[in-house]
């Protein structure tokens, strides 16, 4: 894998996190889910992003420098960076402005070729190489993160400032008096050029590569062959708090082939009060409700359980023999016959999400069907059911991926006999 490809992948990963640095004080549309990126989260992005910035600046090309002093023309050519390192860095939220990324105490080493030619006869000329050491380099990038019309994040470097501290030049070959003649002029010319190139390279990495990486990140992701989730940004960003940045996402499930808006409105979310972790994620019941709506519409929750689907480890089989003691009337009407259960979701499931608990209601019906010896199928009875479930949820990471997991803590089912061909039981 090339270093360029590695940088692009790392940049994509870094900017995927920057996808979450949007905020709006006045929301015309409520989000399906919200994330909060704190100062710790921004600091993590900084540790990922600055090595990429260092690599980009290490690849800058500095144009040749030409000058004339005391009737002597000189040129500094093939100037290239041999190493660049940022000593310290910081990132900060500026309310109402954006994000400022700064690098301080950076060092820069360059190598170049030099030559000079006296303008008067006998036109003495000479050439050689030189190593240039630059210290005390500082740079500041003012960034704005926004959202385009499709819900992708956008990033722009609105302003860059760079300053060069000290500079020393070590000449190799040529006349020994060259340094005294031209060193100060060359250093002055080079300082401005290097500062401009540092800003140019950094801004280009942000504006060009950054936006290309962000645009490549999908805002609609397929869950399965029937459904997809839209987590596009729903607002353009403004910055209102020094402690965190918010992202507001649509968070709605759709049918892949026939996408329609679900008849729900996201509930409002509480204000942020904690900033100890790198990131906080707020989920609304709207996400689960739209998922239930989509799966109910798709028919995927209408299915039949057959005897072959029951694991051998389960003692109860789909045969009337297994229900002989539980539902005697079933066995009496259909002795020792295979069964199937037709499960139908009758309405979308509904969820209620609080800070500590997820509660859900899942309505549906179950038809008990019996396979008779003559090959016909008879309906024995139909039940109406309502599943009540409680669960807790948490996030965890593995191999740089963040997962949301849940655990059911309580579940029970209300059952009601809707119809029966074997009498009441």
């Amino acid at each position: 894998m090339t270093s360029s490809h590695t940088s692009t992948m790392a940049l994509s990963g870094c900017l995927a996190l920057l996808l979450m640095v949007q905020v709006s004080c006045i929301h015309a549309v409520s989000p399906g889910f919200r994330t909060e990126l704190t100062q710790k989260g921004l600091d993590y992005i900084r540790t990922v992003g600055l090595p990429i910035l260092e690599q980009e600046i290490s690849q800058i090309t500095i144009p040749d420098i030409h000058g004339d002093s005391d009737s002597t023309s000189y040129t500094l050519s093939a100037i290239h960076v041999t190493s660049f390192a940022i000593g310290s860095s910081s990132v900060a939220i500026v309310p109402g402005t954006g994000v400022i990324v700064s690098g301080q105490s950076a060092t820069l080493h360059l190598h170049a070729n030099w030559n000079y030619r006296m303008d008067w006869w006998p036109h003495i000329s000479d050439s050689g190489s030189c190593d240039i050491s630059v210290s005390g380099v500082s740079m500041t990038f003012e960034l704005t993160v926004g959202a385009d019309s499709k819900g992708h994040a956008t990033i722009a470097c609105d302003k860059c400032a760079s300053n060069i501290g000290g500079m020393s030049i070590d000449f190799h070959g040529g006349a020994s008096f060259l340094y005294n003649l031209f060193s100060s002029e060359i250093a002055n010319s080079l300082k401005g050029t290097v500062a401009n190139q540092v800003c140019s390279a950094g801004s280009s990495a942000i504006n060009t590569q950054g936006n290309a990486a962000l645009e490549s990140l999908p805002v609609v992701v397929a869950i399965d062959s029937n459904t997809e989730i839209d987590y596009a940004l729903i607002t353009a960003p403004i910055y209102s708090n020094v402690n965190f940045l918010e992202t507001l996402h649509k968070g709605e499930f759709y049918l892949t082939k026939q996408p329609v808006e679900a008849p729900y409105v996201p509930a409002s979310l509480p204000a942020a009060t904690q900033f100890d972790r790198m990131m906080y994620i707020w989920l609304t019941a709207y996400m689960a409700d739209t998922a239930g709506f989509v799966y109910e519409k798709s028919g995927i929750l209408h299915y039949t359980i057959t005897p072959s689907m029951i694991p051998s480890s389960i003692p109860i089989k789909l045969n009337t023999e297994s229900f002989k003691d539980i539902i005697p009337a079933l066995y009496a009407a259909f002795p020792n016959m295979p069964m199937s259960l037709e499960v139908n979701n009758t309405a979308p499931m509904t969820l209620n999400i609080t800070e500590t608990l997820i509660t859900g209601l899942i309505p549906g019906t179950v038809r008990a069907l019996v396979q008779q010896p003559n090959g016909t199928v008879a309906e024995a009875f139909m039940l109406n059911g309502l599943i009540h479930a409680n669960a807790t949820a948490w996030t965890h990471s593995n191999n740089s991926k963040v997962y949301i997991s849940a655990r059911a803590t309580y579940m029970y089912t209300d059952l009601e006999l809707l119809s029966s061909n074997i009498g009441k039981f």
Side-chain angles (χ1 to χ4, degrees):
M1 183 180 292
T2 65
S3 60
S4 176
H5 183 59
T6 302
S7 297
T8 300
M9 292 178 62
L11 184 61
S12 297
C14 175
L15 291 174
L17 290 175
L18 280 175
L19 175 66
M20 300 179 178
V21 287
Q22 336 281 319
V23 62
S24 179
C25 287
I26 301 175
H27 311 313
V29 181
S30 298
F33 74 93
R34 182 184 79 196
T35 66
E36 296 162 5
L37 189 67
T38 67
Q39 183 63 50
K40 287 184 177 179
L42 287 173
D43 287 337
Y44 173 75
I45 293 176
R46 173 177 54 82
T47 62
V48 174
L50 282 183
I52 301 170
L53 183 61
E54 287 179 331
Q55 182 176 2
E56 291 301 317
I57 293 178
S58 295
Q59 297 174 355
I60 64 176
T61 300
I62 298 175
D64 294 351
I65 295 175
H66 305 278
D68 189 89
S69 177
D70 295 332
S71 299
T72 300
S73 302
Y74 63 88
T75 299
L76 206 61
S77 61
I79 308 170
H80 61 277
V81 178
T82 57
S83 67
F84 176 72
I86 298 175
S88 61
S89 60
S90 62
V91 58
I93 303 166
V94 181
T97 301
V99 179
I100 291 183
V101 180
S102 300
Q104 302 84 29
S105 303
T107 57
L108 180 67
H109 297 278
L110 307 103
H111 185 80
N113 297 324
W114 62 263
N115 67 78
Y116 77 92
R117 181 178 184 276
M118 290 184 176
D119 298 335
W120 67 85
W121 187 88
H123 302 296
I124 299 173
S125 62
D126 205 350
S127 62
S129 64
C130 63
D131 293 304
I132 305 166
S133 297
V134 185
S135 60
V137 181
S138 63
M139 66 211 76
T140 301
F141 300 94
E142 295 184 9
L143 310 180
T144 298
V145 183
D148 64 18
S149 60
K150 296 181 179 180
H152 290 99
T154 60
I155 188 169
C157 180
D158 297 325
K159 185 178 180 181
C160 174
S162 180
N163 184 62
I164 303 298
M167 178 180 291
S168 62
I169 305 176
D170 184 15
F171 291 95
H172 309 289
S176 60
F177 60 87
L178 182 64
Y179 176 86
N180 292 327
L181 287 176
F182 307 122
S183 61
S184 60
E185 294 182 25
I186 293 175
N188 289 334
S189 299
L190 200 56
K191 278 185 178 182
T193 302
V194 170
N196 290 337
Q197 289 299 311
V198 166
C199 274
S200 177
S203 299
S204 176
I206 294 167
N207 294 333
T208 303
Q209 298 183 43
N211 278 301
L214 287 173
E215 190 175 2
S216 70
L217 297 172
V219 294
V220 176
V221 174
I223 303 300
D224 51 42
S225 59
N226 296 299
T227 58
E228 60 190 20
I229 184 172
D230 183 343
Y231 56 79
L233 297 169
I234 62 173
T235 63
I238 61 173
Y239 307 84
S240 61
N241 195 303
V242 296
N243 295 311
F244 65 92
L245 298 172
E246 283 183 322
T247 62
L248 305 177
H249 302 261
K250 189 166 182 62
E252 181 172 353
F253 284 77
Y254 290 97
L255 283 172
T256 302
K257 295 181 179 179
Q258 295 178 321
V260 294
E261 292 288 334
Y264 308 112
V265 177
S268 59
L269 290 168
T273 57
Q274 301 180 34
F275 316 108
D276 296 333
R277 298 181 181 274
M278 288 172 51
M279 181 179 291
Y280 293 86
I281 302 175
W282 294 86
L283 303 177
T284 66
Y286 174 81
M287 291 185 66
D289 289 343
T290 61
F293 174 80
V294 165
Y295 281 111
E296 195 272 333
K297 290 295 183 183
S298 70
I300 196 172
L301 298 180
H302 301 184
Y303 55 93
T304 300
I305 303 174
T306 62
S308 62
M309 298 168 64
I310 305 300
S312 59
S313 58
I314 296 179
I316 298 177
K317 307 301 179 183
L318 274 182
N319 189 290
T320 58
E321 178 74 25
S322 295
F323 297 89
K324 182 177 182 180
D325 297 328
I326 303 174
I327 311 176
L330 174 64
Y331 183 78
F334 305 101
N336 196 26
M337 296 183 191
M339 299 174 59
S340 60
L341 301 177
E342 189 179 89
V343 181
N344 288 285
N345 178 238
T346 55
M349 66 177 179
T350 58
L351 286 186
N352 181 47
I353 300 177
T354 67
E355 293 185 22
T356 58
L357 190 67
I358 302 172
T359 59
L361 297 175
I362 307 173
T365 61
V366 179
R367 292 178 66 210
L369 305 175
V370 178
Q371 183 73 42
Q372 300 184 95
N374 62 5
T376 61
V377 176
E379 179 182 318
F381 57 85
M382 180 183 289
L383 299 175
N384 184 46
L386 182 62
I387 300 175
H388 303 254
N390 293 348
T392 57
W394 66 96
T395 61
H396 59 96
S397 60
N398 184 25
N399 294 329
S400 300
K401 294 183 178 180
V402 178
Y403 299 88
I404 299 176
S405 299
R407 179 190 299 116
T409 58
Y410 178 73
M411 182 178 293
Y412 73 95
T413 304
D414 288 330
L415 293 175
E416 176 187 8
L417 183 63
L418 288 181
S419 63
S420 174
N421 292 322
I422 59 174
K424 292 186 177 182
F425 57 89

